[in-house]
Amino acid sequence: MKAAITATGRYFPAREVPNSYFYDDLGLDTNDEWIVSRTGIETRRLADPSKGETCSFMATQAARACLADAGLEAGDLDAIVVATVTPDQPLPSVACFTQAALGAKGFAFDLVAACSGFVYGLDVCAAMVESGRAKRVMFIGADHMSSILDFADRNTCILFGDAAGAVLIEQVPDDHPGTIHRSLLRADGTGAKHLQIPAGGGRLPIDEGILAERMHKVKQEGRVVFRHAVSSIVKVVRQYFEEEQLDVEDVALFIPHQANRRIIEAAADRLRVPRDKTVITIDRFANTTAASIPTALDLAREEGRVKVGDRLLFATFGAGFTWGAQTITWGV
Ligand code: ACO
């Protein structure tokens, strides 16, 4: 049996936050020109938890859209898996809250791989489906990044948005046009210090000192991460192409993780992927971590950019460090 993505869905919060919010409303020393030229970000959506807009809420909405796309009910799912670094609360998982909200029955768990969460999780879910352990998995990349950002730190707070993107992964017969192909996943834990939330776990439990120093919020050495991101994405995709005997011409659409427009364009140029085959959503939605690839896939489908038989390339880099490449053939 093989596995394929047979439906997609997405959710973005209604609240749109343009770049001007950071200098006009928050009074940060930044400006539109810097943000657009250094990141490609023009605006983003941020969740409003006072209206119940949490990670599991966004995941549930994306899953509902995905179920509607598939013409299925929540009861048809064997499992719900959520890739996230921003759970509603430390315990239990976002997947369990999502399962309850959907009224689903299957098993449910979260997976942590930061911006690589979608590519890592797609591989895990595809393996469960190929092995027969589950026939239908709702896999959601969901992140409520505004809940872990320091809105006094101009280096990080301008970079992220909130969203959820869902894909349905199903067992399909061998002659079905859709396939989730193998992935190439990588990690280097020695890079942890360059992008992290230092406190809030067992090492540095939250106390007043931690809160005062904002150690429970995202810290990033942007320049170091940028350098690693471009070279790692290029290297992993080249190795993947070689191992899969693929050529850049075989790729109909490149859907990279949306961390920075300059990272995406530098990687695409070095891989010789043309601009019209590269999906960019960071201008409208910023970096939505595990949600960036599935929401970009759903948007690309809506814009008519995905056809049956198309080979789609996903590539990512994120905290950990974690990175990887994966392709699927679209089949519905
Ligand atoms: N507005 C104005 N100036 C700023 C801002 C801002 N918002 N942020 C930083 N600056 C300043 C810096 O302080 C620095 O000033 P200095 O030279 O006086 O020290 C200057 O701008 C240049 O800073 P750089 O860090 O060199 O800027 P760079 O061009 O590298 O862009 C950025 C910074 C956008 C963060 C970039 O490095 C980046 O995108 N990094 C990678 C992000 C990423 O891929 N993250 C991984 C995924 S996230 C995840 O896994 C959760």
Side-chain angles (χ1 to χ4, degrees), residues 254-269:
F254 176 37
I255 309 185
H257 170 55
Q258 310 281 315
N260 184 317
R261 190 177 195 123
R262 285 157 54 218
I263 293 177
I264 296 170
E265 293 185 345
D269 288 349

Side-chain angles (χ1 to χ4, degrees), residues 184-314:
L184 190 55
L185 304 180
R186 291 282 178 263
D188 176 6
T190 64
K193 56 185 177 290
H194 302 300
L195 177 48
Q196 60 173 331
I197 299 176
R203 182 178 294 140
L204 284 177
I206 303 281
D207 63 19
E208 278 175 20
I210 294 288
L211 293 177
E213 287 177 43
R214 318 291 286 163
M215 298 282 276
H216 59 307
K217 300 291 184 182
V218 172
K219 310 279 179 207
Q220 174 174 242
E221 293 168 39
R223 229 171 285 186
V224 179
V225 178
F226 189 99
R227 216 178 42 242
H228 276 87
V230 176
S231 62
S232 302
I233 288 172
V234 170
K235 203 166 156 200
V236 78
V237 171
R238 282 194 181 138
Q239 187 182 341
Y240 183 84
F241 278 5
E242 204 176 303
E243 288 176 9
E244 290 292 291
Q245 300 193 323
L246 278 175
D247 195 79
V248 71
E249 273 81 46
D250 299 321
V251 173
L253 216 51
F254 176 37
I255 309 185
H257 170 55
Q258 310 281 315
N260 184 317
R261 190 177 195 123
R262 285 157 54 218
I263 293 177
I264 296 170
E265 293 185 345
D269 288 349
R270 285 164 68 174
L271 293 166
R272 283 195 250 104
V273 182
R275 287 286 183 278
D276 63 345
K277 284 187 173 183
T278 304
V279 175
I280 293 189
T281 62
I282 189 165
D283 51 339
R284 290 174 282 166
F285 302 110
N287 178 352
T288 57
T289 307
S292 82
I293 294 177
T295 51
L297 169 63
D298 191 55
L299 285 159
R301 282 189 68 207
E302 191 173 272
E303 290 160 9
R305 299 177 74 182
V306 181
K307 296 182 294 300
V308 173
D310 279 354
R311 189 92 176 229
L312 312 181
L313 169 66
F314 305 138

Side-chain angles (χ1 to χ4, degrees), residues 53-67:
E53 227 170 11
T54 61
C55 189
S56 71
F57 178 86
M58 295 191 288
T60 302
Q61 298 301 105
R64 285 195 178 123
C66 187
L67 284 171

